[in-house]
Amino acid sequence: MSAYSRKQKKRLELYFRCLSSVCIDSMLGYYYIPYEFHKGERWIRNRVLKKTLAYWRVKDKTSLEEQIHFLLQDGHCQEYKDIHAKLQALTFAVRERYVENSKEDAQYDKLLVVHKYMSLLPSADIAALGGGWAIMLARIGRVYGLLSKREAWEIDLQAARYLQQHYSSWEEYLTAFAVGTHFIMNSTEVKHVRHILNMASTIVGASSLALEKASWNQNLLPDRDLNSGHQDGISV
């Protein structure tokens, strides 16, 4: 972290908060864009933190690192792509009949989600889900003492690099995150992504946040020329 100037660290921390803001289904999501989680929130105003740890079944450092590894290595991406490939091989009319006749299938809800968003997400790439949630878990893990500040920073950087490799804009990222959320919730109901849509309007809408302070193509490399040699990040 010492290879980053204070100014760049502040800029990247805002970027990480914006990337993970869509994970927070609460009005507090807006508060946590300019402000970071702090240790006192383990006891006060801790609903967001506890809800996240419970959802991802995080109980200790090991389970936290396992979930982050899963999110950055797969994060439900392969399952989505497999269903998408199966449906894409069919004509639209045949696909509609196939989905309609699959109501008794255990995968029906997921089939319905992928079918509905075939044109909105032709790439079938929901890596946004894994990258955004990995950052969220790293932020919370630091607050709970499950990760050191440096470990959390390295995970944030790794996740941000991962997301920049998959998407070229905030719009692409937010779209994929919303579709991915529908997928893991097994539902196309708007209520599951309303907070994402609202946050999108803050990041890329009337606000100048994405244009002036948190542009998509943030430089993730250190801005200081240190003579101490290259420091390898942790692998998750």
Side-chain angles (χ1 to χ4, degrees):
M1 290 181 66
S2 58
Y4 293 83
S5 67
R6 183 177 182 277
K7 182 178 180 180
Q8 190 183 16
K9 277 192 285 190
K10 291 293 183 183
R11 183 166 55 246
L12 289 178
E13 284 167 355
L14 173 62
Y15 184 54
F16 301 150
R17 290 195 297 272
C18 286
L19 287 169
S20 56
S21 65
V22 286
C23 300
I24 304 174
D25 185 4
S26 164
M27 290 299 293
L28 284 172
Y30 299 98
Y31 173 82
Y32 288 124
I33 288 181
Y35 301 108
E36 185 54 89
F37 300 132
H38 57 80
K39 290 185 178 181
E41 288 172 293
R42 288 179 293 179
W43 303 282
I44 302 171
R45 199 171 54 207
N46 62 2
R47 182 176 178 273
V48 169
L49 282 65
K50 285 193 170 183
K51 183 180 178 182
T52 298
L53 295 177
Y55 180 80
W56 292 104
R57 301 184 300 279
V58 172
K59 298 179 180 179
D60 51 28
K61 183 179 179 70
T62 298
S63 57
L64 174 67
E65 291 180 336
E66 286 175 350
Q67 286 293 5
I68 291 173
H69 177 81
F70 164 72
L71 288 166
L72 293 178
Q73 295 301 316
D74 181 75
H76 301 282
C77 285
Q78 193 57 54
E79 184 183 11
Y80 191 99
K81 287 180 179 179
D82 289 344
I83 295 174
H84 185 275
K86 180 164 58 176
L87 294 179
Q88 192 176 39
L90 308 174
T91 65
F92 181 78
V94 173
R95 187 164 71 235
E96 280 203 318
R97 287 198 299 272
Y98 174 76
V99 174
E100 179 64 25
N101 293 331
S102 300
K103 289 184 177 179
E104 301 304 317
D105 193 303
Q107 275 195 318
Y108 174 69
D109 291 329
K110 284 185 165 59
L111 280 169
L112 197 59
V113 170
V114 177
H115 170 58
K116 180 174 181 177
Y117 295 112
M118 291 283 285
S119 58
L120 183 63
L121 194 68
S123 66
D125 186 357
I126 60 168
L129 195 74
W133 276 109
I135 293 173
M136 182 69 169
L137 286 176
R139 292 172 60 198
I140 295 176
R142 181 186 58 78
V143 169
Y144 276 86
L146 301 176
L147 296 173
S148 68
K149 190 173 182 179
R150 180 181 179 276
E151 286 174 324
W153 174 261
E154 292 293 344
I155 291 169
D156 289 345
L157 284 174
Q158 182 182 353
R161 283 194 293 267
Y162 173 73
L163 292 171
Q164 287 185 350
Q165 288 166 4
H166 283 263
Y167 308 104
S168 60
S169 69
W170 276 109
E171 288 81 1
E172 286 185 6
Y173 168 70
L174 293 165
T175 297
F177 193 96
V179 173
T181 299
H182 276 304
F183 188 69
I184 63 171
M185 297 301 293
N186 296 315
S187 172
T188 59
E189 291 186 54
V190 176
K191 67 179 182 180
H192 296 302
V193 298
R194 188 171 288 114
H195 66 287
I196 300 170
L197 301 177
N198 291 339
M199 198 58 68
S201 68
T202 296
I203 296 173
V204 299
S207 168
S208 60
L209 185 60
L211 291 175
E212 297 179 3
K213 298 180 180 179
S215 62
W216 178 256
N217 293 311
Q218 288 288 319
N219 178 17
L220 302 175
L221 296 174
D223 60 343
R224 283 182 174 174
D225 183 17
L226 299 182
N227 297 318
S228 55
H230 177 72
Q231 294 180 336
D232 293 326
I234 63 172
S235 177
V236 296

